[in-house]
Amino acid sequence: MKIAIIGGTGSIGKGFALRWGHKHHVIIGSREQEKARARAVEYTGILKDHGQKADITGEINAKAASEADIILLAIRYGQISSIIEQIKAEIDNKIVISVVVPMEKDRCIIVPNGVPLEISANSREDYKADYFCYVTPPAGSAAQEIASLLPAGTELVSAFHNVPAAKLSNLDTELGYDIGVCGNYMHSKNIVFGLVRDIPGMRPLDIGPLETSSMVESITPLLVNVAIRNHMKDVGIKFVD
Ligand SMILES: NC(=O)c1ccc[n+]([C@@H]2O[C@H](COP(=O)([O-])OP(=O)(O)OC[C@H]3O[C@@H](n4cnc5c(N)ncnc54)[C@H](OP(=O)(O)O)[C@@H]3O)[C@@H](O)[C@H]2O)c1
């Protein structure tokens, strides 16, 4: 498959390129073509050092999207509307994957009955310590907001939110994580389950339709808080039955 990683020059994008680059054609997307191509060369070199042949190229975001079968959005929440505007014309019934987590430091926004209520770090003495918080988007989750910006009929799958980029990018480590997958179409979810299984040590778990994405997205700030406060590294999730 041809997979465009929009924001593939960033932390988590690098991890996906390294984990899929030997099995799929990965197209690194960036706002700058030179940067995209330089990262493609860098990631190809890392795979070569690990004895693997890579198929990784780099293009500006819109061209990367136009060349792909699957488009993965590895960008920050604040950039989703501008980036989707840039690639919208190229989406054309392709599967889109969102790994986007809207989170901020020391700032909780709770949305009771659709009315945003902000609790800032300065408003309460006991909120002053370092911590990360899920910032609920007006649509309910980043995935639902992205869905509202995509062309009608686009199959959006929300997944991979709870994977730490550093460990994903380190080909010398075992992963051992579960990956929650949310979406409204079983056909596209099955394709994403396959992409999860392509990465050794990852297990896909069906969470439900797209509106369940907020549950999975909001686990990420919890994992980061656990890591920071308990001096742990690369915390992820694994369900045990
Ligand atoms: N990092 C993690 O461990 C992790 C884990 C799970 C999920 N996620 C989610 O994955 C997404 C990406 O996270 P990340 O840590 O990889 O982010 P990042 O490294 O900060 O940024 C990703 C890419 O976004 C592009 N970018 C930066 N500023 C931009 C702007 N103003 N407008 C448009 N594009 C811009 C950059 O690409 P160019 O400069 O090349 O255009 C950058 O390489 C986030 O939504 C995050 O919540 C991250």
Side-chain angles (χ1 to χ4, degrees):
M1 262 180 297
K2 292 184 192 166
I3 307 169
I5 305 178
I6 305 301
T9 57
S11 310
I12 194 89
K14 176 180 180 181
F16 291 117
L18 293 178
R19 298 283 177 175
W20 288 329
H22 67 291
K23 195 162 180 147
H24 300 282
H25 177 188
V26 170
I27 311 155
I28 304 299
S30 169
R31 289 167 297 171
E32 296 166 49
Q33 191 173 73
E34 283 311 304
K35 187 176 172 185
R37 291 190 174 165
R39 290 293 198 283
V41 170
E42 179 195 329
Y43 303 162
T44 300
I46 294 171
L47 281 169
K48 195 174 167 205
D49 291 344
H50 284 79
Q52 292 177 359
K53 201 163 175 283
D55 186 6
I56 306 176
T57 54
E59 295 293 347
I60 55 164
N61 286 324
K63 185 135 194 290
S66 78
E67 289 183 359
D69 309 310
I70 294 181
I71 301 168
L72 184 141
L73 300 175
I75 48 170
R76 295 193 175 207
Y77 172 69
Q79 290 140 17
I80 56 176
S81 55
S82 68
I83 293 278
I84 290 173
E85 204 46 49
Q86 286 167 34
I87 64 169
K88 208 171 180 173
E90 315 300 339
I91 292 175
D92 195 25
N93 288 325
K94 293 169 183 171
I95 294 170
V96 177
I97 304 173
S98 168
V99 307
V100 176
V101 177
M103 58 187 257
E104 284 195 30
K105 201 164 177 230
D106 298 334
R107 186 166 163 264
C108 270
I109 298 179
I110 302 161
V111 189
N113 305 318
V115 183
L117 169 70
E118 186 170 330
I119 301 170
S120 80
N122 300 324
S123 65
R124 290 215 359 217
E125 197 58 36
D126 52 346
Y127 273 88
K128 280 187 179 162
D130 271 6
Y131 75 105
F132 284 84
C133 204
Y134 184 68
V135 182
T136 310
S141 64
Q144 286 165 290
E145 193 153 322
I146 290 167
S148 74
L149 299 169
L150 293 173
T154 307
E155 296 198 9
L156 175 67
V157 180
S158 190
F160 299 107
H161 310 89
N162 311 137
V163 183
K167 201 159 173 184
L168 191 65
S169 302
N170 184 349
L171 296 178
D172 299 320
T173 52
E174 282 286 311
L175 293 174
Y177 296 130
D178 282 336
I179 302 298
V181 180
C182 314
N184 295 342
Y185 305 94
M186 217 51 231
H187 158 260
S188 46
K189 275 206 278 198
N190 279 330
I191 289 173
V192 175
F193 291 162
L195 290 175
V196 174
R197 290 191 193 99
D198 283 341
I199 302 177
M202 278 193 181
R203 177 177 67 162
L205 292 177
D206 187 3
I207 304 297
L210 208 61
E211 60 261 34
T212 61
S213 187
S214 64
M215 295 184 222
V216 187
E217 293 173 17
S218 62
I219 292 172
T220 303
L222 167 69
L223 299 175
V224 177
N225 292 336
V226 166
I228 292 170
R229 289 178 170 267
N230 299 281
H231 310 290
M232 295 165 76
K233 261 179 83 182
D234 303 328
V235 179
I237 57 166
K238 184 94 197 151
F239 290 89
V240 179
D241 63 359

